[in-house]
Amino acid sequence: MSTTVGMDGTWGRLRAVGVGAAITVAGFLVAVPFGFVVGNAAGLLGIEFSLTAGFVLSTILLQGVAFPLTAFGYLRLRGLSLSFVKARLPTLRDILWIVSGYVLVFALVFALLLIVVNLGVPTASRTDQAALQDPGTLIWLIPLSLLVIGPGEELLFRGIIQGRLRESFGPVGAVVLASATFAPAHILALTGSYQALAATISLLFVPALVFGVTYELTDNLVVPSIIHGAYNATIFGIVYIGLRYGPTQPPGLL
């Protein structure tokens, strides 16, 4: 378990939080020129993307290209090596944490959803709901969750942002603050009232905590990456089954 605790004062800690926020914004901004280039190239070639193709491509460009480039760019700016991000092949202990974390995420989210439903609190919908109502999109997103979404988001939010925050706040503060950065970052993909957005972001904070804690306990980014990817893949799978065999609305908890 990582136990590095920085000696920063108030200004140093504020700066660390600011850096985490800046890295998050940078991750999304880096995706913009890639989308612009691909979109214009497709237009020049007379290629028209279907809803599914466009959604899948944007996912790959954001989590699979922009997030890793932002992460590596940060390491280069600071003169850090890739060892700053702790990653290796999973051991048996890591596998046990993967299974435990996966079960824990669903248990906590399910329990909180029951509370939210019983209280009558609304939750947000996805802005990309149309794409997620296409079974063809979901078929692509199930493997992409494990290969692109989980690894890409964990590299940026846990490997880089949580790693930076750990230098100033220690492991516990880093997990909480990185999770508080991760959950609101999903607001671009959500729509609804302020109350619904707040409820959904609060729910997203819970799996983020599990991802962060497992990273600190194992010192292996592969662990939260697999938990995160499997969590998303399972939800996409549930929605796919619901669309095929019954009415299921795409949840905002991804």
Side-chain angles (χ1 to χ4, degrees):
M1 176 179 177
S2 299
T3 56
T4 303
V5 179
M7 301 300 291
D8 292 347
T10 302
W11 171 247
R13 291 185 172 187
L14 288 174
R15 184 172 183 271
V17 172
V19 169
I23 293 171
T24 301
V25 173
F28 287 94
L29 291 179
V30 168
V32 174
F34 286 101
F36 180 80
V37 169
V38 171
N40 279 276
L44 291 173
L45 295 173
I47 299 173
E48 185 174 347
F49 292 119
S50 66
L51 188 63
T52 292
F55 189 88
V56 169
L57 183 60
S58 64
T59 298
I60 293 172
L61 290 177
L62 180 63
Q63 285 101 326
V65 178
F67 281 8
L69 283 178
T70 302
F72 296 137
Y74 171 78
L75 293 177
R76 185 170 180 82
L77 282 173
R78 286 195 60 190
L80 298 170
S81 69
L82 289 176
S83 62
F84 179 83
V85 177
K86 302 174 178 63
R88 52 179 163 71
L89 290 175
T91 62
L92 177 59
R93 177 176 176 272
D94 293 333
I95 294 173
L96 291 175
W97 274 113
I98 290 170
V99 175
S100 300
Y102 175 80
V103 173
L104 182 60
V105 166
F106 276 99
L108 291 175
V109 170
F110 182 73
L112 287 173
L113 276 174
L114 284 179
I115 294 173
V116 168
V117 170
N118 287 329
L119 291 176
V121 178
T123 55
S125 301
R126 298 274 305 209
T127 55
D128 46 21
Q129 194 167 10
L132 293 178
Q133 286 179 328
D134 180 357
T137 303
L138 295 166
I139 287 295
W140 279 97
L141 289 178
I142 291 171
L144 283 176
S145 293
L146 291 163
L147 299 174
V148 176
I149 299 173
E153 293 188 0
E154 290 308 300
L155 173 61
L156 191 69
F157 287 96
R158 247 58 64 180
I160 299 299
I161 294 175
Q162 186 167 308
R164 172 62 185 93
L165 291 167
R166 189 191 305 116
E167 296 174 342
S168 298
F169 293 91
V172 175
V175 169
V176 172
L177 290 171
S179 299
T181 303
F182 172 83
H186 289 73
I187 198 169
L188 295 176
L190 300 174
T191 182
S193 66
Y194 291 122
Q195 186 182 24
L197 290 172
T200 299
I201 289 172
S202 298
L203 288 168
L204 288 167
F205 181 74
V206 174
L209 286 175
V210 176
F211 304 151
V213 168
T214 54
Y215 181 42
E216 294 298 327
L217 290 174
T218 61
D219 282 333
N220 187 5
L221 192 68
V222 175
V223 173
S225 295
I226 293 177
I227 297 173
H228 187 164
Y231 169 71
N232 279 25
T234 302
I235 292 180
F236 285 133
I238 292 171
V239 176
Y240 175 82
I241 293 171
L243 291 174
R244 285 294 191 187
Y245 304 105
T248 299
Q249 295 298 316
L253 305 178
L254 296 168

